[in-house]
């Protein structure tokens, strides 16, 4: 979990294949997320309770955990 360090935009680096559970949970300031086409998994509650308004899930993603985007 990132903790209190939150930001407006997140660009996940190419080569990343998985976002862990709770990675950006609670980041209310986070508005836009850019994911690479290497990403295969988004963990449980990865963006739960965040402020995400814009995100494109690449076709490479094979698994999205439970409640990954709940309350966003």
């Amino acid at each position: 979990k990132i903790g209190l360090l939150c930001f407006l935009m997140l660009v996940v680096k190419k080569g990343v294949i998985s976002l862990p559970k709770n990675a950006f949970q609670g980041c209310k300031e986070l508005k836009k997320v850019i994911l690479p086409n290497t990403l295969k998994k988004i963990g449980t509650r990865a963006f739960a309770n965040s402020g995400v308004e814009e995100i494109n899930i690449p076709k490479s993603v094979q698994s999205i955990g439970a409640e990954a985007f709940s309350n966003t």
Side-chain angles (χ1 to χ4, degrees), residues 41-52:
K41 179 182 177 184
I42 298 173
T44 299
R45 300 189 58 79
F47 294 98
N49 301 309
S50 70
V52 174

Side-chain angles (χ1 to χ4, degrees), residues 19-38:
L19 294 179
K21 68 178 182 177
N22 305 320
F24 303 99
Q25 180 179 1
C27 287
K28 297 286 186 191
E29 295 85 5
L30 184 58
K31 301 298 179 196
K32 182 175 182 178
V33 178
I34 299 174
L35 302 174
N37 59 9
T38 56

